[in-house]
Amino acid sequence: MTKRLFVRGNEAICLGALEAGCRHYFGYPITPQNDIPEFMSREIPKLNGEFIQAESEVAAINMVLGAAATGVRAMTSSSSPGISLKMESVSYMAAMEVPCLIVNISRSGPGLGGIDASQGDYFQAVKGGGHGGYHIIVLAPASIQEMYDLTMLAFDLAEKYRSPAMILGDAVVGQMKEPLAPRPKPDTELIEKNWALRGTGEGEQRVIKSLYLGDGELEAHNWKLHAKYSLMKEKECRWEESHTDDAKILVTAFGSAARIAKTAVAMARDEGMKVGFLRPITLFPFPEKAFRDATLRCKKVLDIELNTGQMVEDVRLSVARDADVFFYGRPSGTGSLPTPEELFAQIKKYY
Amino acid sequence: MQQVFTRPASLKDVQTHFCPGCHHGTVHRLTAEALDEFDLRKKTIGVASIGCSVFLYSYFNIDVVESPHGRAPAVATGVKRARPDSFVFTYQGDGDLAAIGTAEIIHAANRGEDITVIFVNNTTYGMTGGQMAPTTLVGQKTSTSPYGRNLEKEGAPVRVTELLSNLDGVAFAARVAVNNPRNLMDAKRQIKKAFRYQVEKKGFSFVEVLAACPTNWGMSPIEANERVGGEMCDYFKLGVYKNTENL
Ligand SMILES: Cc1ncc(C[n+]2csc(CCOP(=O)(O)OP(=O)(O)O)c2C)c(N)n1
Ligand code: SF4
């Protein structure tokens, strides 16, 4: 049996990344994710890896770009304003098909905002936060165990689809401590990286680039990326659901909001109310089919977020045509985290 | 018959897109010759920057990664840290390196990354149509300094090689030009020396090349060449600014 640890979410991400074979970390300090660079600066040198505290988030993501272009597993972490700075290069990496991991332990905004738990970065994460029209894989852990497990999964999916992947968390899942069973990395098929730069040796030149100027070249490249996103939607959607069979109303939320929502659902079920629960784990690809299937039976959905309504747009696009989607959310900031009682009241309101 | 002039093995047998009289082609050749000299082609990863030299991969027969504008030293840092035995160089223009990428070049140099930077200073943004660069000379007219660069409002041109030489992390720094045979031969020597620093794992090496952009200067190739040897060399003094190991 694996030994159980009692760690913070941010540490769980580091443990997951190291277990996944990541030895290259590049970052810049920002609250509430500082435990990640601190942990990595301590542990990576022991494993003969490379840790750099870069001069900025911009430099950090470009170091990731360079390292990942050689085929190693590389990552960076930051929080909302820092993630905004990285976006130009995330767009480049999506275009260049360079796999890597970006962790956003997001904070409240806009602007400098605050450091409280927030889901204000959903749009930025799933709609392609940078320019040009692209998507990256986005995973939203709701527990410390998931911070660990999904970090390993993120590296595997990133390589499988040759795409950047993001863990989208916040101060709740980042700084809270919970038990963690650090399972060994699952046996995944290792994909040969016949694109990775290594110096030509006796082989052909390899080029990693995003500039396509030839007639029709860029359109073809974009169709190729588009096909990849469709394949992800078909194969990689992940979600948690419970009590959806008999539900009169379905509560949905992701990440830290889902923890509070789940408690509210339990309170409702204790009172005999038929309330179901559906939590997207992959935000991109969004589990559209799970919502469609559940709303073939249950015609009311209550979406709860720590913002004024972002994921709700994807929920509305996914549900059956005759289902009603309600929303409850609060923009985050100090003192703005909803309580389970507050959410329970909302469930009663729409039940 | 003895062949005395051949194409370096590190260059492809293709025509470049550079304008007539542009010095990028010459600097490409010198860089390729230095790669050949140390037999580096097969273990090199080049980092292309954004500017007229973005097509590095079309001309060099080596592995290449493209960098976002100005970030080549950070990209090269990532490449080199992941593959310490590869030979890694960036090739950057003055808009790329001395404006948007100032932070990246200073900090890569200051960390003493084991990389080589070829910095082509043509006192303008070539690719985007000849706008003012940090290196544009005082009084020089460009498409965004139509009345000439104004010292009070726009400051003096940045002397990057001098600036970087002050950093302990820099092992080798030189400024060269390719406007005449004598300067060209010296440029070749200094680029080779810079490469030798990396080959011998002796730290960060940097070569600034004063270069002509006849198109955006509105000059003939001959006039542009003369400008390099004249007012550019007057302000940006040629020489070896740092040579820590006396290689
Ligand atoms: C983020 C970003 N900003 C601006 C540009 C537009 N741009 C392309 S090349 C260039 C300047 C290139 O000038 P320089 O580095 O001097 O190289 P040269 O073309 O003269 O060789 C600029 C501003 C860009 N591609 N990306
Ligand atoms: S615009 Fe200037 S730098 Fe660019 S290719 Fe033409 S001459 Fe060279």
Side-chain angles (χ1 to χ4, degrees):
Chain A
M1 208 187 79
T2 43
K3 196 175 77 187
R4 289 196 134 213
L5 305 173
F6 190 64
V7 296
R8 285 168 190 252
N10 286 338
E11 290 165 343
I13 283 183
C14 297
L15 291 166
L18 294 179
E19 177 62 24
C22 173
R23 297 290 180 271
H24 293 82
Y25 174 94
F26 309 97
Y28 186 85
I30 183 170
T31 308
Q33 61 83 55
N34 291 323
D35 342 7
I36 300 177
E38 285 165 11
F39 187 102
M40 291 308 217
S41 68
R42 192 174 68 236
E43 298 304 321
I44 281 191
K46 296 180 197 165
L47 299 164
N48 294 322
E50 293 289 336
F51 167 92
I52 297 182
Q53 180 171 318
E55 57 271 29
S56 67
E57 288 87 351
V58 177
I61 190 76
N62 284 292
M63 291 173 188
V64 169
L65 190 163
T70 72
V72 302
R73 290 191 160 189
M75 71 177 285
T76 185
S77 62
S78 188
S79 182
S80 310
I83 296 291
S84 294
L85 278 178
K86 291 180 194 291
M87 279 302 166
E88 181 197 25
S89 297
V90 177
S91 167
Y92 269 73
M93 281 191 276
M96 295 167 154
E97 302 188 85
V98 173
C100 70
L101 175 66
I102 300 146
V103 176
N104 181 3
I105 303 302
S106 62
R107 48 192 260 174
S108 34
L112 191 53
I115 56 171
D116 301 88
S118 166
Q119 298 184 327
D121 295 356
Y122 178 92
F123 281 152
Q124 186 195 49
V126 308
K127 307 292 179 190
H131 62 284
Y134 67 91
H135 290 286
I136 62 171
I137 298 154
V138 183
L139 307 176
S143 67
I144 303 320
Q145 186 68 47
E146 276 192 348
M147 291 288 255
Y148 178 86
D149 294 343
L150 295 184
T151 295
M152 290 198 285
L153 177 68
F155 275 111
D156 285 347
L157 291 180
E159 283 183 5
K160 185 168 170 189
Y161 291 95
R162 283 190 60 186
S163 162
M166 177 182 277
I167 295 282
L168 181 61
D170 59 23
V172 168
V173 284
Q175 300 195 310
M176 176 182 75
K177 279 190 171 187
E178 263 180 358
L180 166 72
R183 294 188 269 268
K185 177 177 144 28
D187 271 333
T188 38
E189 196 190 333
L190 282 181
I191 304 151
E192 206 216 319
K193 294 172 185 164
N194 56 9
W195 49 266
L197 304 188
R198 72 301 184 214
T200 58
E202 299 308 320
E204 292 286 300
Q205 176 193 38
R206 289 181 184 170
V207 176
I208 293 188
K209 63 166 182 132
S210 64
L211 180 69
Y212 293 95
L213 296 180
D215 204 18
E217 266 181 28
L218 189 54
E219 181 180 354
H221 181 60
N222 270 293
W223 282 123
K224 179 185 163 203
L225 296 179
H226 179 78
K228 199 161 77 171
Y229 305 141
S230 303
L231 193 66
M232 288 178 193
K233 285 185 187 177
E234 191 188 314
K235 303 245 189 240
E236 306 298 346
C237 290
R238 287 165 171 80
W239 68 92
E240 174 196 347
E241 68 174 84
S242 54
H243 311 299
T244 47
D245 288 343
D246 69 345
K248 272 181 65 184
I249 186 168
L250 190 66
V251 171
T252 184
F254 73 93
S256 54
R259 298 175 65 95
I260 315 169
K262 207 172 180 177
T263 308
V265 169
M267 290 162 83
R269 299 228 42 123
D270 282 349
E271 296 202 1
M273 295 164 72
K274 293 189 166 156
V275 181
F277 179 69
L278 203 167
R279 172 175 72 93
I281 295 172
T282 52
L283 300 184
F284 188 89
F286 192 72
E288 295 166 8
K289 193 167 175 303
F291 280 94
R292 198 155 46 248
D293 291 350
T295 50
L296 291 176
R297 303 179 296 268
C298 170
K299 298 298 173 192
K300 281 196 249 177
V301 179
L302 172 61
D303 173 289
I304 293 164
E305 300 177 50
L306 307 183
N307 57 43
T308 52
Q310 298 193 16
M311 180 176 83
V312 67
E313 294 188 2
D314 289 324
V315 174
R316 287 205 174 105
L317 288 171
S318 306
V319 294
R321 247 191 293 171
D322 55 348
D324 281 323
V325 177
F326 308 104
F327 174 76
Y328 184 76
R330 287 170 64 180
S332 79
T334 310
S336 301
L337 198 64
T339 60
E341 291 73 19
E342 186 178 337
L343 299 187
F344 182 30
Q346 292 297 318
I347 296 172
K348 281 191 197 147
K349 178 173 161 191
Y350 294 109
Y351 188 67
Chain B
M1 198 176 75
Q2 194 198 357
Q3 194 173 19
V4 291
F5 194 74
T6 55
R7 181 174 46 80
S10 299
L11 279 188
K12 295 184 189 175
D13 190 8
V14 292
Q15 268 205 327
T16 69
H17 71 288
F18 300 123
C19 310
C22 176
H23 285 174
H24 270 306
T26 316
V27 183
H28 274 35
R29 184 180 171 101
L30 297 185
T31 306
E33 283 176 356
L35 288 175
D36 284 5
E37 171 99 359
F38 296 103
D39 200 15
L40 292 170
R41 189 186 76 78
K42 294 176 184 171
K43 55 179 287 193
T44 294
I45 299 175
V47 183
S49 65
I50 309 296
C52 284
S53 58
V54 67
F55 297 108
L56 207 66
Y57 45 80
S58 300
Y59 307 135
F60 283 83
N61 187 14
I62 56 172
D63 278 8
V64 173
V65 57
E66 165 194 288
S67 162
H69 196 22
R71 318 302 173 201
V75 172
T77 296
V79 172
K80 187 72 179 185
R81 295 289 185 114
R83 291 189 63 91
D85 292 329
S86 292
F87 183 83
V88 181
F89 76 94
T90 74
Y91 186 109
Q92 304 174 253
D94 46 347
D96 191 85
L97 182 141
I100 193 169
T102 315
E104 284 75 13
I105 187 63
I106 297 253
H107 289 278
N110 192 54
R111 285 189 304 268
E113 296 294 339
D114 233 339
I115 60 171
T116 305
V117 173
I118 305 293
F119 168 49
V120 178
N121 175 1
N122 58 14
T123 70
T124 191
Y125 286 64
M127 183 175 237
T128 40
Q131 293 83 2
M132 188 178 74
T135 44
T136 295
L137 295 180
V138 172
Q140 184 182 337
K141 288 185 177 158
T142 70
S143 62
T144 51
S145 58
Y147 308 109
R149 181 178 184 142
N150 178 321
L151 184 64
E152 271 75 53
K153 290 191 174 166
E154 284 139 2
V158 181
R159 293 186 179 98
V160 177
T161 303
E162 287 86 332
L163 195 71
L164 292 182
S165 299
N166 285 323
L167 300 173
D168 288 353
V170 174
F172 179 81
R175 182 184 290 119
V176 300
V178 292
N179 60 316
N180 61 40
R182 197 172 57 90
N183 282 348
L184 190 97
M185 293 314 288
D186 189 53
K188 185 171 170 168
R189 257 195 309 278
Q190 302 313 334
I191 292 176
K192 277 187 191 158
K193 212 176 282 178
F195 277 23
R196 217 171 122 202
Y197 266 86
Q198 188 181 160
V199 168
E200 297 185 8
K201 297 193 188 292
K202 295 261 194 310
F204 183 89
S205 52
F206 183 88
V207 180
E208 172 174 349
V209 187
L210 300 184
C213 174
T215 303
N216 287 305
W217 296 354
M219 292 181 181
S220 71
I222 292 172
E223 288 167 341
N225 236 19
E226 281 166 4
R227 178 179 184 247
V228 173
E231 62 174 353
M232 277 178 75
C233 280
D234 287 346
Y235 186 84
F236 299 110
K237 298 270 185 264
L238 303 186
V240 176
Y241 285 79
K242 201 146 184 202
N243 188 1
T244 47
E245 303 282 330
N246 276 319
L247 291 187

